[in-house]
Amino acid sequence: MDRLVKPDVKEVEFSFVKGENCTATFCLANLMHTMSVAVCLSTSNPSVFSFSQDFSVIPPLSSSSYTISCKSSEKPPLSTPPDKISVRSAMLPIGKAHTDDLRRLFSNPGRHVFKDASLLISFVGFDVVEFLISNHKRIPDLRFLLNKAISGCNKSQLTALMEPAISSGKLGLVSALIDAGVDVNVKDSLKRSMLSIAVRTGKIDIVKRLIDSHCEINFAVDLVLHTAAAMNRVDVIELLRENFPDIPVNSVDSDGRTPIHTAAAHGHVGAIRFLASIGGDPEAVDRRKWTPLHSAAAEGHLEAVEYLLNCSNVKYAVNSDGKTAFAVASEKGHTDLFDSLRLDDALHRTARAGDVRGLRSCVAAGAKVNGKDQNGWTALHRAAFKGRVECVKVLLEHGAEADAVDNVGYTPLRCAVEAGHEEVARLLLDSGAKRSWLKGLRRDLNVCGEIPSMCCGK
């Protein structure tokens, strides 16, 4: 015979509630037909667990019930490996014994003491599952403990834990709850779906698991494309588009911003490019009439600015404050965006207006002195045509090409001559401008006493 008593369970479960004492019961049956059996109970963690009776006597072919208590705590006393209850027994021919006698009996090891059972201690219930989810990073054997703890919860309790489980970013936690039958279409306090929370974690495996479990989204509330765009998660956007083909690519948030606005504000070119490829509008305006270009410019995202300039026609669009993206970037001090946002436009304006101070500011800020407009005119063409002598001087001092040619072959010198600005023409000639194009013109106008020109306007 290798044991004298038999327990009715292999594992003792505590329904744990934080802050409260909890107890569990189990039974031991005496396997002896004619002799009483003495029993000694102990645990691997006596500072936490205690028995109603450590020593007892079970009559022949009888059973006895035992209660084990766990001290109150704010968290379940989980351990790895799990704590255990040790059941030892010894035959008691006389059938009776005082507690002190039993203590002495079991304090002397020997063949008379049988090690009958080792019962695992486990904890179940809502508070245990909540604790495991909250502390998932620090608990080994998490899935094993979680599966056990879940067995003591009802469906509504587990459903209430879906949001923290998803927020943990652990697919195993989410899958365990789904497998236990939670309602995946429960909403959070803001009426958002669990899928919306999953997208915020950036864990595409959790997003897939929820989609496969038929989690639904409300396009008016669940701004999942905005969330994915903010993280530059093209893979998540693609997955959502594939499984929810009706999802509005140009949905707007409370400020009227589309997902492309969001991607632009974060400088995520990949997300902007993909959203535009599936119908996203790079020229959309929000409630403040900001375009995605305004959003990118305000945050100083050069690559996003350059991409939006190439795929939209909003360079000169103004917001509700009357500001272009260039003006927004300038206001924010993002000087590295000036060239991309056509700082040369400002350079051209100051050259045309004769604003020397503004011209110098543009040059100092990094404007391309020889940048051309849609007609091929440089700032020097503008200044020469308007007769802005001082602006011409500043531009030449900073490397302006005296013989730059526009789309129809006009140079700054020709612009000056045709407009009748002799002083500008002399200045350009002194700076090395070529005069070969002047041959054969129809009407005479002396410039430097020798150069004929025509006076037709441009």
Side-chain angles (χ1 to χ4, degrees):
M1 177 179 291
D2 56 1
R3 65 178 178 176
L4 304 179
V5 296
K6 179 181 180 181
D8 63 341
V9 293
K10 293 182 178 180
E11 190 170 336
V12 176
E13 290 186 353
F14 282 92
S15 294
F16 177 83
V17 178
K18 57 185 177 182
E20 297 182 9
N21 291 322
C22 53
T23 60
T25 60
F26 61 97
C27 289
L28 295 176
N30 183 352
L31 301 178
M32 303 294 292
H33 289 70
T34 60
M35 190 175 298
S36 296
V37 172
V39 173
C40 173
L41 300 176
S42 62
T43 72
S44 55
N45 193 352
S47 63
V48 174
F49 303 101
S50 60
F51 296 96
S52 55
Q53 49 181 336
D54 297 330
F55 302 97
S56 64
V57 176
I58 307 177
L61 293 179
S62 297
S63 296
S64 183
S65 179
Y66 298 87
T67 299
I68 179 172
S69 300
C70 175
K71 289 183 179 179
S72 65
S73 174
E74 289 301 310
K75 59 182 182 181
L78 301 169
S79 63
T80 303
D83 286 318
K84 296 179 180 179
I85 298 172
S86 294
V87 179
R88 294 185 296 160
S89 64
M91 289 186 285
L92 196 65
I94 59 176
K96 295 181 181 181
H98 293 294
T99 300
D100 291 340
D101 296 328
L102 296 176
R103 184 177 288 107
R104 282 192 294 271
L105 176 65
F106 287 104
S107 64
N108 297 315
R111 297 179 62 184
H112 65 284
V113 176
F114 290 76
K115 296 180 180 179
D116 282 329
S118 181
L119 308 178
L120 293 178
I121 295 176
S122 61
F123 294 88
V124 301
F126 176 86
D127 286 344
V128 183
V129 178
E130 184 179 45
F131 174 80
L132 291 171
I133 292 173
S134 300
N135 296 273
H136 66 274
K137 293 181 179 179
R138 299 188 290 107
I139 299 177
D141 296 332
L142 176 65
R143 189 64 184 268
F144 172 79
L145 294 172
L146 182 68
N147 287 337
K148 174 58 64 175
I150 283 175
S151 66
C153 300
N154 58 43
K155 182 177 178 180
S156 63
Q157 287 177 318
L158 294 177
T159 298
L161 293 171
M162 270 297 285
E163 182 175 350
I166 294 171
S167 297
S168 75
K170 297 285 289 186
L171 176 62
L173 296 179
V174 176
S175 293
L177 295 181
I178 291 176
D179 292 342
V182 301
D183 179 7
V184 295
N185 285 308
V186 66
K187 302 294 188 287
D188 70 5
S189 59
L190 298 178
K191 306 301 181 183
R192 295 174 300 190
S193 72
M194 293 298 102
L195 196 55
S196 181
I197 297 168
V199 171
R200 290 204 303 275
T201 69
K203 300 293 185 180
I204 196 167
D205 53 355
I206 295 179
V207 175
K208 288 179 178 177
R209 184 71 168 91
L210 287 170
I211 291 175
D212 292 343
S213 300
H214 309 293
C215 185
E216 301 171 354
I217 56 177
N218 181 344
F219 298 147
V221 178
D222 297 309
L223 300 178
V224 287
L225 293 185
H226 289 75
T227 303
M231 299 185 294
N232 204 27
R233 293 300 301 272
V234 174
D235 56 339
V236 174
I237 297 173
E238 191 169 11
L239 178 66
L240 291 168
R241 177 75 171 181
E242 177 183 340
N243 287 277
F244 302 97
D246 295 330
I247 193 169
V249 179
N250 291 304
S251 58
V252 296
D253 62 15
S254 59
D255 294 313
R257 293 180 295 233
T258 66
I260 289 187
H261 277 95
T262 300
H266 287 82
H268 296 325
V269 176
I272 297 171
R273 182 183 293 112
F274 185 77
L275 287 165
S277 73
I278 60 174
D281 184 4
E283 299 184 357
V285 294
D286 65 13
R287 295 190 188 282
R288 297 183 298 164
K289 294 188 177 180
W290 278 44
T291 65
L293 183 61
H294 282 93
S295 298
E299 300 300 327
H301 298 306
L302 176 60
E303 188 178 357
V305 164
E306 292 178 338
Y307 181 81
L308 287 165
L309 285 170
N310 289 329
C311 72
S312 64
N313 188 30
V314 293
K315 182 172 64 174
Y316 302 112
V318 295
N319 61 18
S320 57
D321 295 324
K323 295 177 181 178
T324 62
F326 171 83
V328 170
S330 178
E331 185 179 75
K332 298 286 187 178
H334 300 309
T335 57
D336 57 324
L337 304 185
F338 287 0
D339 279 343
S340 296
L341 289 170
R342 302 301 296 273
L343 177 59
D344 47 315
D345 288 350
L347 185 72
H348 283 226
R349 288 195 298 272
T350 56
R352 183 174 62 246
D355 180 1
V356 177
R357 178 178 295 179
L359 187 69
R360 289 186 183 278
S361 295
C362 288
V363 172
K368 295 178 181 178
V369 174
N370 291 303
K372 295 184 177 183
D373 66 9
Q374 65 272 22
N375 297 313
W377 274 36
T378 65
L380 189 58
H381 281 88
R382 297 282 181 192
F385 183 68
K386 287 293 186 178
R388 311 301 188 188
V389 177
E390 294 303 317
C391 287
V392 170
K393 288 180 180 179
V394 172
L395 289 167
L396 291 171
E397 289 170 2
H398 287 85
E401 296 178 9
D403 288 317
V405 179
D406 71 3
N407 295 348
V408 294
Y410 274 58
T411 65
L413 177 58
R414 181 165 184 173
C415 291
V417 170
E418 290 192 357
H421 300 305
E422 182 176 341
E423 187 176 356
V424 171
R426 289 177 183 277
L427 181 57
L428 290 168
L429 286 169
D430 290 343
S431 298
K434 296 177 182 178
R435 60 189 76 182
S436 56
W437 62 270
L438 295 173
K439 295 179 180 179
L441 294 180
R442 293 176 299 178
R443 288 190 295 160
D444 293 338
L445 175 68
N446 285 331
V447 177
C448 300
E450 60 182 63
I451 301 176
S453 179
M454 54 186 288
C455 296
C456 58
K458 179 177 175 67

